[in-house]
Amino acid sequence: MACYWQLLMEIWCISPFEPFSDQDRYMANTQSAKKATRVSARRATINKNRTSMVRSALRKVEEAISAGNQQAALAALQTAEPQLMRGAQKGVFHKNTASRKVSRLTHRIRAIKA
């Protein structure tokens, strides 16, 4: 039960000293709905982490492109592409969005004069 409250405090900023906040008023009643709430909170943290990792990887590619370093940009893209596609596979991003980002970055990298 302590882990459940910690998750709620992290996700929804609920204070344990306010037992009758708006979130508590609308808490789930059935066991399956309570479990769905726990799973949803857990998946939200995982998705947030995955999104952050992908954005960091894409930022490294963008920095290499803006610096004009084609080799560094290719290396950064090779590490960013699997993360982006895995995010699409897990449902964090749409698969067309991931493919579009990879395609546009690839074209921009090829446009850099080596």
Side-chain angles (χ1 to χ4, degrees), residues 77-94:
L77 182 64
Q78 285 178 350
T79 61
E81 184 179 2
Q83 290 181 357
L84 191 59
M85 291 303 176
R86 199 171 301 120
Q89 190 177 24
K90 297 291 185 180
V92 179
F93 308 106
H94 194 275

Side-chain angles (χ1 to χ4, degrees), residues 13-111:
C13 302
I14 294 177
S15 172
F17 303 109
E18 292 181 16
F20 298 109
S21 65
D22 284 342
Q23 291 294 331
D24 289 332
R25 208 172 294 142
Y26 302 113
M27 285 300 288
N29 292 325
T30 63
Q31 195 67 27
S32 61
K34 289 177 183 177
K35 181 179 178 181
T37 304
R38 289 194 307 269
V39 171
S40 174
R42 194 177 318 130
R43 293 304 309 168
T45 56
I46 292 170
N47 289 346
K48 186 176 178 182
N49 186 19
R50 189 177 301 277
T51 304
S52 175
M53 287 173 29
V54 169
R55 289 176 66 188
S56 296
L58 291 177
R59 187 172 58 248
K60 289 178 185 175
V61 177
E62 292 285 344
E63 288 171 358
I65 290 173
S66 64
N69 191 346
Q70 189 177 27
Q71 296 300 322
L74 276 173
L77 182 64
Q78 285 178 350
T79 61
E81 184 179 2
Q83 290 181 357
L84 191 59
M85 291 303 176
R86 199 171 301 120
Q89 190 177 24
K90 297 291 185 180
V92 179
F93 308 106
H94 194 275
K95 63 179 183 175
N96 291 353
T97 302
S99 296
R100 184 180 66 244
K101 285 182 183 291
V102 170
S103 176
R104 288 180 180 174
L105 286 173
T106 305
H107 285 292
R108 287 176 60 195
I109 291 172
R110 286 185 181 173

